[in-house]
Amino acid sequence: TLFGRIAHVDDGQRVWPCTIRGVLRTRRIDGRSSLTVGDRVGFVVPAEREGVEVEGVIESVEPRHGELKRVSGRREHVVVANVDQVIIVTSAGEPKPKPHLVDRYIVSSLHGKMQPVVCINKVDLAPADETDCFLSVYERLGYPTLRTSAVTGMGIDALRALLMGKESVIAGQSGVGKSSLLNAVQPGLALRTGTVIDENSKGRHTTTRATLLQLDGGGYVVDTPGVRSFDLGCVPPERLEEYFVEFVERIPHCKFPDCAHLQETGCAIKAALDENKIDPQRYESYVRLFTEPEFRKNATK
Ligand code: GDP
Ligand code: ZN
């Protein structure tokens, strides 16, 4: 299910160009745009006539599950619908793995109802105990992990199997090997980069548009131009605690119901931290995200 001015609908066999029924154009889903990349739709195709290109009509849109969102100004909108999982790629070589960045991606994934998967690539460049140590934090929290090398081919089968039949986003900072991994999974399936530029009365502005790359054997990888494609400013600070799984069961034990787990007395999170039951890196990520000006400014309720 792809989308343009004319929507391109993939029925699993072929792609149909479709127009969108008027009511769907005007009706807004969740107060946002009515159709987006990844939406599952019902459509009808008129009987084929010779010499006329068949064009379907989209009649209905199914409720969405996971949503990849982006913030523009003070509003968030859905870039891609029905995303199942986010493969958070880090690198064992350069650039060095950044736990804080991984935590940010995990928070955003969970906020968008997507499953986070932590992948460490370039394992050919670091000793195994280093990568094990990095991933062990996330394994203890219950997140699926992957160890890969686009160079040696290690872990590529596992990655391919994980992508099969699902709609996935590959996230991670530039240079970690996202394109290399996708090319290893399926040659020719590199991430493209670029922006769709359109003109409006206020002058030039750029909009980014996502497409879905189809995997042989089923499944899609979301292709979003630009590294900031996966915006993290969507999570209201007061909801942040929900996305730190190791916090959740402890929160009811904080003395104050509105405890932010920073300086408050009787905080169960701080207590668990002192007892080494919460990883200090994770707690630091929470504090940074909670106090980050950018994060707070963009948060929408
Ligand atoms: P992206 O920006 O995340 O898409 O990263 P690229 O796929 O462009 O890779 C960045 C650089 O890392 C390139 O020079 C790749 O050849 C290199 N690279 C990617 N994967 C690996 C790997 O598993 N091992 C090693 N040694 N280098 C890799
Ligand atoms: Zn607390």
Side-chain angles (χ1 to χ4, degrees), residues 86-239:
V86 180
I87 314 294
I88 302 163
V89 184
T90 59
S91 128
E94 285 298 322
K96 282 281 170 213
K98 294 188 178 60
H100 179 61
L101 200 58
V102 174
D103 293 330
R104 290 182 68 133
Y105 280 126
I106 289 177
V107 165
S108 299
S109 307
L110 297 175
H111 185 60
K113 298 189 169 64
M114 301 173 281
Q115 167 74 51
V117 176
V118 183
C119 170
I120 188 156
N121 184 41
K122 307 197 191 182
V123 291
D124 54 292
L125 297 179
D129 56 344
E130 233 172 72
T131 54
D132 288 350
C133 178
F134 177 76
L135 288 181
S136 66
V137 175
Y138 302 102
E139 279 162 358
R140 260 181 271 127
L141 297 173
Y143 297 118
T145 57
L146 282 171
R147 295 160 173 78
T148 59
S149 169
V151 170
T152 68
M154 180 181 162
I156 299 302
D157 285 345
L159 174 60
R160 189 184 296 114
L162 200 73
L163 297 175
M164 218 35 66
K166 300 203 184 95
E167 195 177 304
S168 312
V169 167
I170 314 291
Q173 66 184 130
S174 168
V176 293
K178 298 182 295 297
S179 327
S180 308
L181 281 176
L182 285 178
N183 271 326
V185 163
Q186 186 175 310
L189 191 86
L191 290 175
R192 284 168 296 159
T193 51
T195 48
V196 177
I197 301 184
D198 60 8
E199 209 91 31
N200 69 10
S201 54
K202 291 195 182 108
R204 279 191 128 202
H205 77 136
T206 57
T207 50
T208 45
R209 196 155 44 157
T211 54
L212 297 179
L213 308 174
Q214 194 160 20
L215 292 161
D216 299 339
Y220 297 94
V221 171
V222 175
D223 182 8
T224 45
V227 276
R228 297 225 42 188
S229 60
F230 193 47
D231 218 305
L232 300 139
C234 317
V235 184
E238 68 276 11
R239 293 201 58 190

Side-chain angles (χ1 to χ4, degrees), residues 241 250-251 253-256 258-262 264-270:
E241 59 180 23
R250 298 187 166 98
I251 291 166
H253 302 293
C254 290
K255 186 173 169 193
F256 301 108
D258 61 345
C259 187
H261 325 302
L262 301 174
E264 294 89 340
T265 53
C267 173
I269 305 302
K270 296 278 282 184

